[in-house]
Amino acid sequence: MYNSLRQRLETPSTSYNVSTALLNRWSESNPSNTIPKAHASNNYTNYLDSRFVEDASYLRLKNVTLSYTLPIRISKTQNPRLRLFISGQNLLTLTGYKGYDPEVASGIDSGTYPTARAYTVGVNITY
């Protein structure tokens, strides 16, 4: 995955905020080999850089539903049921990816927000 958002945040600029990772950029007193020297011009921001290609593999717990059907009789019909349930979506994502969400379809992460976590609680009555 190409982390375009990280590229923008690690590029010195006067037009938007930058990442604190730039505190570790190359200088004579800090010969860093991971973040290059800051330049007065930001003309190089349109170039692709392999530093921002990341492993976006992940393991996600996407949908889980727990339910229980109560063993009670709520009417005299043949098969009445009272079912309680709780459901959750996007509960857990395990990844080493530095962006918001490793599940980006295009292969280029521009900083789109991740899928929201959601919970649902309910009662299902059948009679």
Side-chain angles (χ1 to χ4, degrees), residues 96-121:
Y97 181 62
K98 294 179 184 175
Y100 291 135
D101 192 353
E103 193 172 3
V104 176
S106 66
I108 298 175
D109 183 4
S110 298
T112 55
Y113 288 115
T115 307
R117 185 175 296 148
Y119 300 97
T120 306
V121 177

Side-chain angles (χ1 to χ4, degrees), residues 6-27:
R6 191 173 138 225
Q7 178 187 18
R8 285 191 308 255
L9 291 175
E10 290 184 12
T11 301
S13 172
T14 57
S15 52
Y16 53 83
N17 291 331
V18 294
S19 169
T20 57
L22 284 178
L23 295 173
N24 193 31
R25 69 184 180 273
W26 188 93
S27 67

Side-chain angles (χ1 to χ4, degrees), residues 81-98:
R81 288 189 306 224
L82 179 64
R83 179 178 160 253
L84 306 173
F85 67 91
I86 183 167
S87 179
Q89 290 82 36
N90 302 313
L91 299 176
L92 176 69
T93 302
L94 301 174
T95 185
Y97 181 62
K98 294 179 184 175

Side-chain angles (χ1 to χ4, degrees), residues 29-48:
S29 61
N30 181 33
S32 170
N33 62 356
T34 57
I35 300 176
K37 177 180 177 179
H39 297 280
S41 166
N42 60 355
N43 292 334
Y44 63 94
T45 59
N46 294 328
Y47 298 110
L48 297 178

